[in-house]
Amino acid sequence: MKQQQHIIYLPGIGDDWWGVQSLIVKFWRLYGVHGHCHPLPWAGPGEYGDKMTAVLAEIDTLAAAGHLVSLVGASAGATAALNAYVVRRSTVHGVVFISAKLNHPETVSPGLLQRNPSFEVALAAAHANLTSLSAADKKRFHLFYSERDSYVPHRDSFIFGVQED
């Protein structure tokens, strides 16, 4: 029996207003993919570690059921996707980054970090995790970036050796 493809989508800061993105990923079924939106309450209560534990638990549950699990992270969500991949690299099939904020943590405004303390922790971890990536890891990644993105400059998304569009 063929493994079912499940993708966990991790939105960025403020990206899942009114649950619209949660609804959109459900339509991925039209393409044979089971989409799961896992919003991270970046500004919400709780420690980042607890929020990452919930992401890892979702990965583990899907993998234990025999599914092929991939991650898609947008903007700040890409930091969580990278961090989850590093912890579950033997489980996660691949990662797609969309306008990923992975590099240059010093360029994030202090106000944004103060309002979203979990992002500050995630960003520091992602920045450190970038150095642990092998060439084989990078072959499992794909980066999408828009020149029109006014929040995340390309240099903040770039990972040497990762295919991008």
Side-chain angles (χ1 to χ4, degrees), residues 48-133:
Y48 170 70
D50 296 334
K51 296 170 187 183
M52 181 53 59
T53 297
V55 173
L56 298 174
E58 187 169 5
I59 293 169
D60 294 344
T61 298
L62 292 169
H67 302 305
L68 195 61
V69 181
S70 295
L71 304 173
V72 174
S75 194
T79 63
L82 175 63
N83 295 336
Y85 172 81
V86 168
V87 175
R88 294 290 190 271
R89 68 178 85 208
S90 63
T91 305
V92 173
H93 178 69
V95 182
V96 172
F97 302 107
I98 303 169
S99 293
K101 178 58 178 168
L102 299 170
N103 297 299
H104 305 285
E106 71 281 359
T107 64
V108 179
S109 81
L112 182 88
L113 295 177
Q114 185 177 12
R115 290 185 306 275
N116 301 282
S118 291
F119 178 52
E120 184 171 18
V121 177
L123 187 56
H127 186 65
N129 282 331
L130 285 171
T131 63
S132 76
L133 300 175

Side-chain angles (χ1 to χ4, degrees), residues 2 6 20 36 51 63 83-84 88 97 104 112-113 122 128 139 143 151 153-154 159:
K2 184 180 174 188
H6 286 253
V20 172
H36 308 265
K51 296 170 187 183
N83 295 336
R88 294 290 190 271
F97 302 107
H104 305 285
L112 182 88
L113 295 177
K139 286 183 180 179
L143 173 67
Y151 291 104
H154 180 259
I159 305 172

